[in-house]
Every structure is written in structure tokens, then in C-alpha cells.
Amino acid sequence: MAKLRVAVSGVGSLGQHHARIAAASERTELVAVVDPNEVRGREIAEKFGTKWVATLEEVLPQVDVVQIAAPTGFHHGIGVTVLKAGKHVIMEKPLAATLAEGEALLASLAEARKVNPNLVAAVGHLERFNPAVQKLRDLGFKPRFAEATRVSPFPMRSMEVDVIMDVMIHDLDLLLALVGKPVKSVEAVGIPVLTKYADVVNARLKFEGGGFATVTASRVARKKERTLRAFGENAYASLDFAAQKLELLNLVNGPEGPQVQPQTVDITEGEPLKLELEAFYAACLGEGQNFVPWKEAFEAMRVADQVQKSVAESLREMQG
């Protein structure tokens, strides 16, 4: 089997893992890592047995796939360049820094697919590839009400975006995928703590069809917590993302009437990023369509934009 030739653009805290997985995969050959920081670029290139280049243009003709792990502000420019070159692409979340840039990327993708209809364009919403999440979706669980919590100490990165685009967007995308309905309305509050952007946010989402969710995101907590509690028809699911643990309770009819019955859920643990990238590589090779398409990632951005606007309104009210 011919291997996909890969370049990784941006080798910071997450990009280095993109490089590691691309270097180790049986489906790929890591041709180069791209980063304007020569010291960092050379360090990661040497670690994973490849070369460093300062700009993507230097290596773009030599690759089939580009993995973009650069800061969000660069997503639009790099994405357009990759599409014009007709290369498969996976973009780390969020798709873009603004809705306008996201729309421009979708337009560029439509143009690129006129030349290559099989072009794969994915976004790295890796929680969809968490084994516990995949198990929940395989079971066909449909939440009517959900509570998502994603909090952690300040990471000293992603200071150019708020906690909504940095952290909450994971759960916004996941809820859209699980509920399967568009968001009807959003009400949110949030405050800046350590940056000029909102660092703590709570949002209430109403979905078409009557679904409801509350989502809390913070990057100024004392400890990490990434959980989802979801309530469906005669069923309850509790999911711990970090532990990759899923607990299910079902209401069933027993000999003495209705009773709550725990359901044993066997989960094979795995690294979500590796699972996501391997699925993306398979799609690029024509072996399935298991990836998060740009259109779905843009819908998560659209909801995030609604949350941002609601937070801004609440802050104006606080300030009188």
C-alpha cells in the first residue's frame, strides 16, 4: 500500500503529537514538520526522524496531506493554501477564528472539490473519538437533557481566544452530534479572570425538538474535570472523558414493576487523537468516512458564536 505523505503545520503542545502519530502510523510517511520557530521545529523533526521547514510552501508539492495544528488565527490562511494545492487536510479545532473566516474556508473547499471531489477536509474534534463517546453513540443514546462540564487550571496557551472557542467548543460539537438537532436558542453568562476574554462560561442550550443542555467551561479551576451527564428516554448516561468511562442506568420492567438497572459497558481504551488521525488517514485512502467534516465543525462554531454574543450581553449588563 502506498503511504500518504504528510506535513504537520505547527508543532506546539498539540502539534508535536500530530507529528508523533504521523511518524508512527503504517499508513503515512512524515515528510516534514512546519514551524516558524526553527529551534522548536528542528527539535521535533529530529525527534521523529523527519525534516523541518519554516514555511508550508517549501514542502507542499511533496505531500498528500497537511495536518494543521497552528494557532487558530492562522487556520484560514493555511487552510486556503492547502486547498488551492488540492491536498487532504485536517484542521485542529476550531475550524477558524471567526465565522467569516469559517465561511470563507467552506467556500474554498467547495471550489477545491470541483477539481477533486474526493478531497477530505476534517476538523480535529477529538472527543468524538473518545472510546467512551463512541460507545455511547454506538448504543444509539439520544439525550433529552444533558450537563457537560469541562474545567481545568489555566494552560498558559490559547490566550488569543476565549474559553468558548478554546474549551467549550468540544462539548458544543459533541452535543450537536449526540442530539442530532440544531440549537434553537442560547443563553449564557461568563467573565474574564486571567485574560481579557471570558475564562469561565456557563451556557444553556435549547435544541429544536425540545432537547436541552447546560454547558460549563472554565480554564481557571483548581483541578481538571471533563464529564457529561445525559438523560434520555428511560435511561441515564454518565461519561468521564479522561477516564474513558461510561456508566448507564436503564428503567426496565421487572417482576415487581419498574426498576432501575445498571448496564455493563465494556470499553477498549485508546488515545483519541491517534484514533481520530488513523480514521482520517483511512478516509484519505478511500477506506471510510469516519471524520468530522468542516460543515459540522462550522455548525459548532456558529453555536459558539451565539454563546459569545450572549456572554458579551451579560457582561454589558454587569457593567451597568
Side-chain angles (χ1 to χ4, degrees):
M1 179 183 71
K3 290 189 173 186
L4 293 166
R5 300 167 299 166
V6 175
V8 174
S9 180
V11 286
S13 58
L14 184 57
Q16 64 179 323
H17 296 294
H18 273 261
R20 167 178 59 82
I21 293 165
S25 175
E26 294 182 355
R27 291 185 169 97
T28 58
E29 173 195 353
L30 181 59
V31 173
V33 296
V34 185
D35 201 286
N37 184 327
E38 181 176 356
V39 174
R40 175 65 173 178
R42 289 191 183 280
E43 174 193 351
I44 299 301
E46 182 177 350
K47 186 174 182 179
F48 298 116
T50 190
K51 67 180 178 180
W52 162 81
V53 295
T55 66
L56 186 59
E57 287 76 8
E58 296 176 55
V59 75
L60 201 50
Q62 305 165 33
V63 302
D64 309 301
V65 172
V66 179
Q67 298 172 206
I68 302 174
T72 305
F74 295 98
H75 284 192
H76 171 259
I78 299 174
V80 170
T81 297
V82 172
L83 291 174
K84 285 183 176 179
K87 310 299 181 179
H88 300 298
V89 56
I90 184 166
M91 183 91 74
E92 266 308 322
K93 62 80 192 166
L95 174 63
T98 66
L99 283 182
E101 289 186 351
E103 288 172 342
L105 281 171
L106 290 176
S108 294
L109 177 58
E111 285 298 312
R113 282 186 171 156
K114 290 178 181 178
V115 178
N116 180 5
N118 297 318
L119 200 63
V120 178
V123 175
H125 281 291
L126 83 171
E127 288 294 25
R128 290 217 209 172
F129 292 84
N130 187 301
V133 172
Q134 291 187 318
K135 187 67 174 182
L136 186 66
R137 298 188 73 184
D138 289 344
L139 292 169
F141 189 95
K142 290 290 184 182
R144 292 183 171 182
F145 171 70
E147 296 176 322
T149 301
R150 189 173 296 265
V151 302
S152 66
F154 195 73
M156 301 307 294
R157 60 162 183 78
S158 299
M159 298 178 71
E160 79 280 2
V161 295
D162 59 26
V163 74
I164 302 162
M165 282 296 188
D166 182 29
V167 174
M168 182 180 281
I169 198 163
H170 280 296
D171 295 309
L172 298 178
D173 170 73
L174 188 54
L175 286 167
L176 284 168
L178 288 172
V179 175
K181 300 280 188 179
V183 170
K184 183 177 180 180
S185 66
V186 171
E187 182 181 347
V189 293
I191 57 170
V193 180
L194 298 178
T195 72
K196 63 180 181 179
Y197 304 106
D199 295 310
V200 182
V201 172
N202 178 265
R204 295 159 57 90
L205 314 178
K206 289 184 179 180
F207 293 84
E208 291 183 7
F212 183 80
T214 63
V215 189
T216 300
S218 170
R219 52 187 180 187
V220 289
R222 293 289 300 273
K223 62 180 181 179
K224 288 186 177 181
E225 180 184 350
R226 294 184 290 147
T227 58
L228 174 70
R229 296 196 307 151
F231 303 83
E233 185 175 0
N234 298 327
Y236 162 72
S238 176
L239 194 154
D240 185 321
F241 293 95
Q244 297 185 9
K245 183 178 180 181
L246 174 63
E247 297 179 347
L248 287 174
L249 296 176
N250 296 292
L251 182 64
V252 299
N253 289 318
E256 300 178 1
Q259 64 183 43
V260 175
Q261 183 178 82
Q263 179 178 344
T264 302
V265 182
D266 294 324
I267 294 172
T268 302
E269 293 186 10
E271 182 185 0
L273 182 61
K274 182 178 179 180
L275 293 171
E276 175 185 67
L277 288 175
E278 288 292 354
F280 167 68
Y281 299 150
C284 293
L285 292 166
E287 302 170 5
Q289 295 290 311
N290 186 18
F291 60 90
V292 180
W294 280 15
K295 185 177 181 181
E296 291 184 20
F298 181 74
E299 289 307 311
M301 279 190 64
R302 195 195 300 275
V303 177
D305 181 70
Q306 292 177 265
V307 175
Q308 288 176 322
K309 288 175 178 174
S310 185
V311 167
E313 183 179 347
S314 72
L315 283 172
R316 285 193 293 269
E317 291 176 359
M318 287 181 193
Q319 294 162 1

PDB file of all heavy atoms in Angstrom, residues 274-299:
ATOM      1  N   LYS A 274      -4.971   9.660  18.291  1.00  0.00           N
ATOM      2  CA  LYS A 274      -4.493   8.620  17.377  1.00  0.00           C
ATOM      3  C   LYS A 274      -5.662   7.980  16.638  1.00  0.00           C
ATOM      4  O   LYS A 274      -5.587   7.757  15.409  1.00  0.00           O
ATOM      5  CB  LYS A 274      -3.720   7.550  18.147  1.00  0.00           C
ATOM      6  CG  LYS A 274      -3.158   6.451  17.252  1.00  0.00           C
ATOM      7  CD  LYS A 274      -2.354   5.430  18.049  1.00  0.00           C
ATOM      8  CE  LYS A 274      -1.826   4.331  17.136  1.00  0.00           C
ATOM      9  NZ  LYS A 274      -1.047   3.313  17.888  1.00  0.00           N
ATOM     10  N   LEU A 275      -6.745   7.691  17.340  1.00  0.00           N
ATOM     11  CA  LEU A 275      -7.923   7.104  16.706  1.00  0.00           C
ATOM     12  C   LEU A 275      -8.488   8.046  15.647  1.00  0.00           C
ATOM     13  O   LEU A 275      -8.878   7.621  14.557  1.00  0.00           O
ATOM     14  CB  LEU A 275      -8.986   6.803  17.762  1.00  0.00           C
ATOM     15  CG  LEU A 275      -8.631   5.703  18.781  1.00  0.00           C
ATOM     16  CD1 LEU A 275      -9.670   5.672  19.901  1.00  0.00           C
ATOM     17  CD2 LEU A 275      -8.529   4.340  18.103  1.00  0.00           C
ATOM     18  N   GLU A 276      -8.515   9.334  15.982  1.00  0.00           N
ATOM     19  CA  GLU A 276      -9.022  10.334  15.043  1.00  0.00           C
ATOM     20  C   GLU A 276      -8.156  10.423  13.794  1.00  0.00           C
ATOM     21  O   GLU A 276      -8.667  10.417  12.664  1.00  0.00           O
ATOM     22  CB  GLU A 276      -9.061  11.688  15.735  1.00  0.00           C
ATOM     23  CG  GLU A 276      -9.465  12.849  14.847  1.00  0.00           C
ATOM     24  CD  GLU A 276      -9.366  14.160  15.600  1.00  0.00           C
ATOM     25  OE1 GLU A 276      -8.238  14.577  15.949  1.00  0.00           O
ATOM     26  OE2 GLU A 276     -10.414  14.774  15.836  1.00  0.00           O
ATOM     27  N   LEU A 277      -6.843  10.491  13.981  1.00  0.00           N
ATOM     28  CA  LEU A 277      -5.941  10.630  12.837  1.00  0.00           C
ATOM     29  C   LEU A 277      -5.908   9.375  11.981  1.00  0.00           C
ATOM     30  O   LEU A 277      -5.875   9.456  10.750  1.00  0.00           O
ATOM     31  CB  LEU A 277      -4.536  10.996  13.313  1.00  0.00           C
ATOM     32  CG  LEU A 277      -4.376  12.421  13.846  1.00  0.00           C
ATOM     33  CD1 LEU A 277      -2.974  12.642  14.410  1.00  0.00           C
ATOM     34  CD2 LEU A 277      -4.675  13.455  12.757  1.00  0.00           C
ATOM     35  N   GLU A 278      -5.947   8.210  12.605  1.00  0.00           N
ATOM     36  CA  GLU A 278      -5.960   6.974  11.816  1.00  0.00           C
ATOM     37  C   GLU A 278      -7.238   6.871  10.981  1.00  0.00           C
ATOM     38  O   GLU A 278      -7.217   6.406   9.838  1.00  0.00           O
ATOM     39  CB  GLU A 278      -5.810   5.755  12.729  1.00  0.00           C
ATOM     40  CG  GLU A 278      -4.409   5.583  13.325  1.00  0.00           C
ATOM     41  CD  GLU A 278      -3.347   5.216  12.299  1.00  0.00           C
ATOM     42  OE1 GLU A 278      -3.685   4.967  11.121  1.00  0.00           O
ATOM     43  OE2 GLU A 278      -2.152   5.168  12.683  1.00  0.00           O
ATOM     44  N   ALA A 279      -8.360   7.324  11.554  1.00  0.00           N
ATOM     45  CA  ALA A 279      -9.612   7.328  10.796  1.00  0.00           C
ATOM     46  C   ALA A 279      -9.535   8.321   9.638  1.00  0.00           C
ATOM     47  O   ALA A 279     -10.039   8.064   8.537  1.00  0.00           O
ATOM     48  CB  ALA A 279     -10.779   7.670  11.718  1.00  0.00           C
ATOM     49  N   PHE A 280      -8.894   9.455   9.877  1.00  0.00           N
ATOM     50  CA  PHE A 280      -8.700  10.452   8.828  1.00  0.00           C
ATOM     51  C   PHE A 280      -7.814   9.904   7.714  1.00  0.00           C
ATOM     52  O   PHE A 280      -8.126  10.047   6.525  1.00  0.00           O
ATOM     53  CB  PHE A 280      -8.086  11.713   9.436  1.00  0.00           C
ATOM     54  CG  PHE A 280      -7.559  12.702   8.438  1.00  0.00           C
ATOM     55  CD1 PHE A 280      -8.416  13.392   7.595  1.00  0.00           C
ATOM     56  CD2 PHE A 280      -6.189  12.955   8.345  1.00  0.00           C
ATOM     57  CE1 PHE A 280      -7.924  14.321   6.676  1.00  0.00           C
ATOM     58  CE2 PHE A 280      -5.698  13.868   7.437  1.00  0.00           C
ATOM     59  CZ  PHE A 280      -6.561  14.554   6.593  1.00  0.00           C
ATOM     60  N   TYR A 281      -6.703   9.268   8.090  1.00  0.00           N
ATOM     61  CA  TYR A 281      -5.823   8.671   7.077  1.00  0.00           C
ATOM     62  C   TYR A 281      -6.586   7.643   6.246  1.00  0.00           C
ATOM     63  O   TYR A 281      -6.445   7.589   5.007  1.00  0.00           O
ATOM     64  CB  TYR A 281      -4.626   7.987   7.740  1.00  0.00           C
ATOM     65  CG  TYR A 281      -3.727   8.870   8.558  1.00  0.00           C
ATOM     66  CD1 TYR A 281      -3.028   8.360   9.664  1.00  0.00           C
ATOM     67  CD2 TYR A 281      -3.556  10.219   8.257  1.00  0.00           C
ATOM     68  CE1 TYR A 281      -2.192   9.151  10.421  1.00  0.00           C
ATOM     69  CE2 TYR A 281      -2.729  11.027   9.023  1.00  0.00           C
ATOM     70  CZ  TYR A 281      -2.051  10.488  10.114  1.00  0.00           C
ATOM     71  OH  TYR A 281      -1.225  11.275  10.884  1.00  0.00           O
ATOM     72  N   ALA A 282      -7.391   6.825   6.909  1.00  0.00           N
ATOM     73  CA  ALA A 282      -8.166   5.808   6.193  1.00  0.00           C
ATOM     74  C   ALA A 282      -9.112   6.467   5.184  1.00  0.00           C
ATOM     75  O   ALA A 282      -9.250   5.999   4.047  1.00  0.00           O
ATOM     76  CB  ALA A 282      -8.951   4.959   7.191  1.00  0.00           C
ATOM     77  N   ALA A 283      -9.741   7.581   5.595  1.00  0.00           N
ATOM     78  CA  ALA A 283     -10.650   8.291   4.679  1.00  0.00           C
ATOM     79  C   ALA A 283      -9.895   8.836   3.473  1.00  0.00           C
ATOM     80  O   ALA A 283     -10.377   8.780   2.343  1.00  0.00           O
ATOM     81  CB  ALA A 283     -11.356   9.421   5.425  1.00  0.00           C
ATOM     82  N   CYS A 284      -8.698   9.358   3.710  1.00  0.00           N
ATOM     83  CA  CYS A 284      -7.883   9.884   2.606  1.00  0.00           C
ATOM     84  C   CYS A 284      -7.514   8.784   1.616  1.00  0.00           C
ATOM     85  O   CYS A 284      -7.336   9.043   0.419  1.00  0.00           O
ATOM     86  CB  CYS A 284      -6.610  10.533   3.149  1.00  0.00           C
ATOM     87  SG  CYS A 284      -6.881  12.035   4.121  1.00  0.00           S
ATOM     88  N   LEU A 285      -7.412   7.557   2.117  1.00  0.00           N
ATOM     89  CA  LEU A 285      -7.081   6.412   1.273  1.00  0.00           C
ATOM     90  C   LEU A 285      -8.327   5.732   0.710  1.00  0.00           C
ATOM     91  O   LEU A 285      -8.244   4.671   0.097  1.00  0.00           O
ATOM     92  CB  LEU A 285      -6.252   5.399   2.072  1.00  0.00           C
ATOM     93  CG  LEU A 285      -4.835   5.865   2.459  1.00  0.00           C
ATOM     94  CD1 LEU A 285      -4.240   4.949   3.514  1.00  0.00           C
ATOM     95  CD2 LEU A 285      -3.936   5.925   1.226  1.00  0.00           C
ATOM     96  N   GLY A 286      -9.489   6.353   0.928  1.00  0.00           N
ATOM     97  CA  GLY A 286     -10.731   5.795   0.402  1.00  0.00           C
ATOM     98  C   GLY A 286     -11.277   4.648   1.207  1.00  0.00           C
ATOM     99  O   GLY A 286     -12.054   3.832   0.697  1.00  0.00           O
ATOM    100  N   GLU A 287     -10.903   4.578   2.507  1.00  0.00           N
ATOM    101  CA  GLU A 287     -11.310   3.451   3.355  1.00  0.00           C
ATOM    102  C   GLU A 287     -12.305   3.884   4.427  1.00  0.00           C
ATOM    103  O   GLU A 287     -12.144   3.596   5.602  1.00  0.00           O
ATOM    104  CB  GLU A 287     -10.077   2.825   4.020  1.00  0.00           C
ATOM    105  CG  GLU A 287      -9.034   2.328   3.036  1.00  0.00           C
ATOM    106  CD  GLU A 287      -7.731   1.947   3.723  1.00  0.00           C
ATOM    107  OE1 GLU A 287      -7.680   1.983   4.968  1.00  0.00           O
ATOM    108  OE2 GLU A 287      -6.760   1.629   3.004  1.00  0.00           O
ATOM    109  N   GLY A 288     -13.344   4.612   4.048  1.00  0.00           N
ATOM    110  CA  GLY A 288     -14.353   5.018   5.016  1.00  0.00           C
ATOM    111  C   GLY A 288     -14.496   6.525   5.093  1.00  0.00           C
ATOM    112  O   GLY A 288     -13.734   7.282   4.466  1.00  0.00           O
ATOM    113  N   GLN A 289     -15.488   6.964   5.872  1.00  0.00           N
ATOM    114  CA  GLN A 289     -15.784   8.389   6.003  1.00  0.00           C
ATOM    115  C   GLN A 289     -15.923   8.768   7.480  1.00  0.00           C
ATOM    116  O   GLN A 289     -16.766   9.581   7.846  1.00  0.00           O
ATOM    117  CB  GLN A 289     -17.084   8.720   5.260  1.00  0.00           C
ATOM    118  CG  GLN A 289     -16.998   8.533   3.754  1.00  0.00           C
ATOM    119  CD  GLN A 289     -16.113   9.572   3.091  1.00  0.00           C
ATOM    120  OE1 GLN A 289     -16.251  10.756   3.337  1.00  0.00           O
ATOM    121  NE2 GLN A 289     -15.185   9.123   2.254  1.00  0.00           N
ATOM    122  N   ASN A 290     -15.090   8.205   8.316  1.00  0.00           N
ATOM    123  CA  ASN A 290     -15.203   8.443   9.757  1.00  0.00           C
ATOM    124  C   ASN A 290     -14.338   9.647  10.165  1.00  0.00           C
ATOM    125  O   ASN A 290     -13.227   9.500  10.662  1.00  0.00           O
ATOM    126  CB  ASN A 290     -14.773   7.196  10.538  1.00  0.00           C
ATOM    127  CG  ASN A 290     -15.002   7.353  12.033  1.00  0.00           C
ATOM    128  OD1 ASN A 290     -15.773   8.218  12.472  1.00  0.00           O
ATOM    129  ND2 ASN A 290     -14.341   6.538  12.822  1.00  0.00           N
ATOM    130  N   PHE A 291     -14.867  10.835   9.919  1.00  0.00           N
ATOM    131  CA  PHE A 291     -14.178  12.056  10.341  1.00  0.00           C
ATOM    132  C   PHE A 291     -15.220  13.145  10.553  1.00  0.00           C
ATOM    133  O   PHE A 291     -16.380  12.996  10.152  1.00  0.00           O
ATOM    134  CB  PHE A 291     -13.125  12.493   9.315  1.00  0.00           C
ATOM    135  CG  PHE A 291     -13.689  12.788   7.946  1.00  0.00           C
ATOM    136  CD1 PHE A 291     -14.125  14.070   7.611  1.00  0.00           C
ATOM    137  CD2 PHE A 291     -13.778  11.790   6.970  1.00  0.00           C
ATOM    138  CE1 PHE A 291     -14.645  14.358   6.359  1.00  0.00           C
ATOM    139  CE2 PHE A 291     -14.294  12.066   5.711  1.00  0.00           C
ATOM    140  CZ  PHE A 291     -14.728  13.347   5.399  1.00  0.00           C
ATOM    141  N   VAL A 292     -14.804  14.242  11.216  1.00  0.00           N
ATOM    142  CA  VAL A 292     -15.714  15.369  11.439  1.00  0.00           C
ATOM    143  C   VAL A 292     -15.538  16.348  10.283  1.00  0.00           C
ATOM    144  O   VAL A 292     -14.495  17.001  10.169  1.00  0.00           O
ATOM    145  CB  VAL A 292     -15.409  16.072  12.773  1.00  0.00           C
ATOM    146  CG1 VAL A 292     -16.378  17.247  12.986  1.00  0.00           C
ATOM    147  CG2 VAL A 292     -15.505  15.082  13.936  1.00  0.00           C
ATOM    148  N   PRO A 293     -16.524  16.467   9.394  1.00  0.00           N
ATOM    149  CA  PRO A 293     -16.379  17.353   8.237  1.00  0.00           C
ATOM    150  C   PRO A 293     -16.421  18.817   8.626  1.00  0.00           C
ATOM    151  O   PRO A 293     -16.958  19.190   9.666  1.00  0.00           O
ATOM    152  CB  PRO A 293     -17.573  16.970   7.350  1.00  0.00           C
ATOM    153  CG  PRO A 293     -18.560  16.359   8.267  1.00  0.00           C
ATOM    154  CD  PRO A 293     -17.806  15.723   9.381  1.00  0.00           C
ATOM    155  N   TRP A 294     -15.858  19.656   7.758  1.00  0.00           N
ATOM    156  CA  TRP A 294     -15.799  21.087   8.028  1.00  0.00           C
ATOM    157  C   TRP A 294     -17.179  21.682   8.274  1.00  0.00           C
ATOM    158  O   TRP A 294     -17.347  22.563   9.106  1.00  0.00           O
ATOM    159  CB  TRP A 294     -15.098  21.802   6.869  1.00  0.00           C
ATOM    160  CG  TRP A 294     -13.610  21.690   6.929  1.00  0.00           C
ATOM    161  CD1 TRP A 294     -12.880  20.825   7.680  1.00  0.00           C
ATOM    162  CD2 TRP A 294     -12.668  22.489   6.199  1.00  0.00           C
ATOM    163  NE1 TRP A 294     -11.536  21.018   7.464  1.00  0.00           N
ATOM    164  CE2 TRP A 294     -11.383  22.028   6.559  1.00  0.00           C
ATOM    165  CE3 TRP A 294     -12.795  23.516   5.261  1.00  0.00           C
ATOM    166  CZ2 TRP A 294     -10.224  22.599   6.021  1.00  0.00           C
ATOM    167  CZ3 TRP A 294     -11.647  24.076   4.736  1.00  0.00           C
ATOM    168  CH2 TRP A 294     -10.369  23.627   5.113  1.00  0.00           C
ATOM    169  N   LYS A 295     -18.185  21.203   7.551  1.00  0.00           N
ATOM    170  CA  LYS A 295     -19.522  21.767   7.707  1.00  0.00           C
ATOM    171  C   LYS A 295     -20.037  21.572   9.124  1.00  0.00           C
ATOM    172  O   LYS A 295     -20.630  22.482   9.720  1.00  0.00           O
ATOM    173  CB  LYS A 295     -20.484  21.140   6.698  1.00  0.00           C
ATOM    174  CG  LYS A 295     -21.871  21.762   6.722  1.00  0.00           C
ATOM    175  CD  LYS A 295     -22.776  21.158   5.653  1.00  0.00           C
ATOM    176  CE  LYS A 295     -24.155  21.803   5.679  1.00  0.00           C
ATOM    177  NZ  LYS A 295     -25.048  21.211   4.650  1.00  0.00           N
ATOM    178  N   GLU A 296     -19.823  20.387   9.698  1.00  0.00           N
ATOM    179  CA  GLU A 296     -20.280  20.125  11.060  1.00  0.00           C
ATOM    180  C   GLU A 296     -19.476  20.948  12.069  1.00  0.00           C
ATOM    181  O   GLU A 296     -20.021  21.447  13.057  1.00  0.00           O
ATOM    182  CB  GLU A 296     -20.182  18.632  11.378  1.00  0.00           C
ATOM    183  CG  GLU A 296     -21.190  17.805  10.604  1.00  0.00           C
ATOM    184  CD  GLU A 296     -21.166  16.328  10.977  1.00  0.00           C
ATOM    185  OE1 GLU A 296     -20.656  15.996  12.072  1.00  0.00           O
ATOM    186  OE2 GLU A 296     -21.657  15.506  10.185  1.00  0.00           O
ATOM    187  N   ALA A 297     -18.182  21.082  11.832  1.00  0.00           N
ATOM    188  CA  ALA A 297     -17.354  21.897  12.710  1.00  0.00           C
ATOM    189  C   ALA A 297     -17.770  23.362  12.659  1.00  0.00           C
ATOM    190  O   ALA A 297     -17.710  24.078  13.665  1.00  0.00           O
ATOM    191  CB  ALA A 297     -15.887  21.762  12.321  1.00  0.00           C
ATOM    192  N   PHE A 298     -18.206  23.805  11.481  1.00  0.00           N
ATOM    193  CA  PHE A 298     -18.681  25.180  11.352  1.00  0.00           C
ATOM    194  C   PHE A 298     -19.965  25.383  12.144  1.00  0.00           C
ATOM    195  O   PHE A 298     -20.175  26.453  12.731  1.00  0.00           O
ATOM    196  CB  PHE A 298     -18.906  25.529   9.884  1.00  0.00           C
ATOM    197  CG  PHE A 298     -19.382  26.944   9.675  1.00  0.00           C
ATOM    198  CD1 PHE A 298     -18.512  28.013   9.818  1.00  0.00           C
ATOM    199  CD2 PHE A 298     -20.707  27.207   9.356  1.00  0.00           C
ATOM    200  CE1 PHE A 298     -18.943  29.317   9.641  1.00  0.00           C
ATOM    201  CE2 PHE A 298     -21.155  28.506   9.170  1.00  0.00           C
ATOM    202  CZ  PHE A 298     -20.270  29.567   9.314  1.00  0.00           C
ATOM    203  N   GLU A 299     -20.831  24.365  12.193  1.00  0.00           N
ATOM    204  CA  GLU A 299     -22.049  24.479  12.986  1.00  0.00           C
ATOM    205  C   GLU A 299     -21.715  24.631  14.467  1.00  0.00           C
ATOM    206  O   GLU A 299     -22.388  25.374  15.192  1.00  0.00           O
ATOM    207  CB  GLU A 299     -22.955  23.271  12.759  1.00  0.00           C
ATOM    208  CG  GLU A 299     -23.596  23.238  11.380  1.00  0.00           C
ATOM    209  CD  GLU A 299     -24.321  24.542  11.050  1.00  0.00           C
ATOM    210  OE1 GLU A 299     -25.113  25.011  11.889  1.00  0.00           O
ATOM    211  OE2 GLU A 299     -24.102  25.088   9.948  1.00  0.00           O
TER     212      GLU A 299
END
